[in-house]
Amino acid sequence: MKKLTWILAASALALAACGGEEADTGTTEGGEASKDIKLGATAGPYSDMLNEAIVPALEEKGYTVETIEFSDYIQPNNALNNGEIDANLFQHTVYLENFETENDMDLSALITVPTAPMGIYSNEFDSLDAVSDGATIAIPNDPVNGARALLMLQDEGLVELDPEAEVLQASERDVTENPKNLVFQPIEAGQLPRAVEGTDLAAVPGNFALAADMDLLDALALENMPDQYRNVVAVSAENEDSELAADLVEIVESEEFETVIDEQFEGFGKPEWMAE
């Protein structure tokens, strides 16, 4: 996979990336839906996934595709809701549902795609078995990714969580067993790649790891990610039954799509439907 980059820009640049014009989602003179479309993604692995694994197949189906890269997690859904793009790929189901509720939008997840998993990285230990008593671990300070980190630590036998806790909202308060007396250091998720240098362990979300040119396979452990945390191709609810929506699902379900994932997105965790 080509070298991934992470573009950090002011919101003004994000708005400029959106463009002021709405996507051409009208009809042709013959009454058929227009095949001039715009797809959005955050810069990095999911923009690459669009360009490498989805856009070529859409072009084979007769679409003319423009890919729009965004520099934050707000504008892609605003643009989708406003009709400035026709579909996006950058978010998982939990984020999408929360964003819809908080912003009074009606968006739909079409299909889950392979997603870069969170990993536990360390420059101090070469395995989780070697982790010493009282080791520090940096984890994301936002509730969604923080819960993912704790679930991962539980899967690896490093902590136990209260069985009554809501798994997708677990916090440090829900840790009931901590046999190695791990010291949690919550920090902003985008800073976690740097934290690998300053702490014993760091739980780094996959997109931030890739943006920092980290190799997913260097992790001591990779997340067994619930599908709610895997990214989705999303459209506006009114276009959920459109020809484009059906074509996007068909492409993602194709053998050709999975081949590109296997060859260019090594380490990405596949959704449950791919294992069926």
Side-chain angles (χ1 to χ4, degrees), residues 155-202:
D155 287 343
E156 298 300 327
L158 291 172
V159 302
E160 287 187 20
L161 300 176
D162 185 344
E164 300 298 320
E166 171 55 55
V167 292
L168 300 183
Q169 300 175 11
S171 70
E172 294 173 55
R173 295 187 300 271
D174 298 309
V175 175
T176 57
E177 301 269 348
N178 184 4
K180 295 208 172 186
N181 298 303
L182 296 177
V183 178
F184 300 104
Q185 293 186 351
I187 64 174
E188 197 276 322
Q191 301 302 315
L192 285 163
R194 295 182 182 179
V196 177
E197 297 290 338
T199 59
D200 298 316
L201 302 157

Side-chain angles (χ1 to χ4, degrees), residues 1-2 4 39 41-42 44-56 67 89 112-116 231-233 251-252 257 260-261 264-265 268-269 274:
M1 183 169 60
K2 65 183 183 182
L4 301 170
L39 305 181
T42 47
Y46 301 104
S47 176
D48 290 341
M49 188 176 291
L50 279 181
N51 289 323
E52 301 297 331
I54 294 178
V55 170
T67 303
L89 172 57
T112 310
V113 301
T115 303
N231 283 3
V232 295
V233 177
I251 289 167
V252 173
F257 177 85
V260 174
I261 296 300
Q264 300 188 41
F265 297 84
F268 279 51
M274 274 191 165

Side-chain angles (χ1 to χ4, degrees), residues 77 80 86-89 91 96 107-110 232-236:
N77 280 339
L80 184 59
D86 300 286
N88 67 35
L89 172 57
Q91 66 195 318
L96 172 63
L107 309 178
S108 294
L110 289 180
V232 295
V233 177
V235 296
S236 63

Side-chain angles (χ1 to χ4, degrees):
M1 183 169 60
K2 65 183 183 182
K3 183 177 180 180
L4 301 170
T5 60
W6 189 259
I7 302 175
L8 296 175
S11 59
L13 289 178
L15 289 169
C18 296
E21 299 179 0
E22 292 190 357
D24 181 6
T25 56
T27 58
T28 63
E29 290 184 2
E32 299 177 351
S34 171
K35 287 202 166 185
D36 292 335
I37 62 171
K38 295 181 181 180
L39 305 181
T42 47
Y46 301 104
S47 176
D48 290 341
M49 188 176 291
L50 279 181
N51 289 323
E52 301 297 331
I54 294 178
V55 170
L58 284 170
E59 290 174 340
E60 288 182 2
K61 290 180 175 293
Y63 290 91
T64 299
V65 186
E66 180 181 354
T67 303
I68 309 295
E69 287 192 353
F70 297 90
S71 61
D72 63 41
Y73 285 7
I74 306 298
Q75 293 305 318
N77 280 339
N78 287 343
L80 184 59
N81 186 63
N82 294 335
E84 296 166 4
I85 60 175
D86 300 286
N88 67 35
L89 172 57
F90 77 100
Q91 66 195 318
H92 52 59
T93 302
V94 175
Y95 181 86
L96 172 63
E97 292 176 350
N98 288 341
F99 195 94
E100 282 186 284
T101 300
E102 293 173 0
N103 295 277
D104 192 26
M105 293 181 180
D106 194 7
L107 309 178
S108 294
L110 289 180
I111 190 168
T112 310
V113 301
T115 303
M118 180 178 289
I120 299 177
Y121 297 85
S122 177
N123 288 341
E124 183 70 22
F125 306 113
D126 58 11
S127 74
L128 292 181
D129 290 336
V131 173
S132 59
D133 187 79
T136 59
I137 178 166
I139 64 172
N141 64 359
D142 62 282
V144 170
N145 286 315
R148 290 173 63 187
L150 292 172
L151 288 172
M152 186 178 180
L153 291 172
Q154 178 170 254
D155 287 343
E156 298 300 327
L158 291 172
V159 302
E160 287 187 20
L161 300 176
D162 185 344
E164 300 298 320
E166 171 55 55
V167 292
L168 300 183
Q169 300 175 11
S171 70
E172 294 173 55
R173 295 187 300 271
D174 298 309
V175 175
T176 57
E177 301 269 348
N178 184 4
K180 295 208 172 186
N181 298 303
L182 296 177
V183 178
F184 300 104
Q185 293 186 351
I187 64 174
E188 197 276 322
Q191 301 302 315
L192 285 163
R194 295 182 182 179
V196 177
E197 297 290 338
T199 59
D200 298 316
L201 302 157
V204 185
N207 58 326
F208 291 110
L210 292 171
D213 291 329
M214 297 169 66
D215 188 335
L216 297 178
L217 301 184
D218 285 342
L220 302 184
L222 289 172
E223 174 185 24
N224 181 19
M225 186 185 298
D227 267 7
Q228 297 99 316
Y229 291 140
R230 297 189 198 280
N231 283 3
V232 295
V233 177
V235 296
S236 63
E238 65 182 6
N239 291 325
E240 187 175 4
D241 297 320
S242 66
E243 179 184 2
L244 173 62
D247 287 338
L248 286 167
V249 171
E250 179 184 333
I251 289 167
V252 173
E253 289 180 341
S254 70
E255 291 183 5
E256 292 79 6
F257 177 85
E258 188 166 8
T259 296
V260 174
I261 296 300
D262 290 341
E263 291 177 351
Q264 300 188 41
F265 297 84
E266 192 174 11
F268 279 51
K270 295 180 180 179
E272 292 178 5
W273 67 262
M274 274 191 165
E276 294 175 355

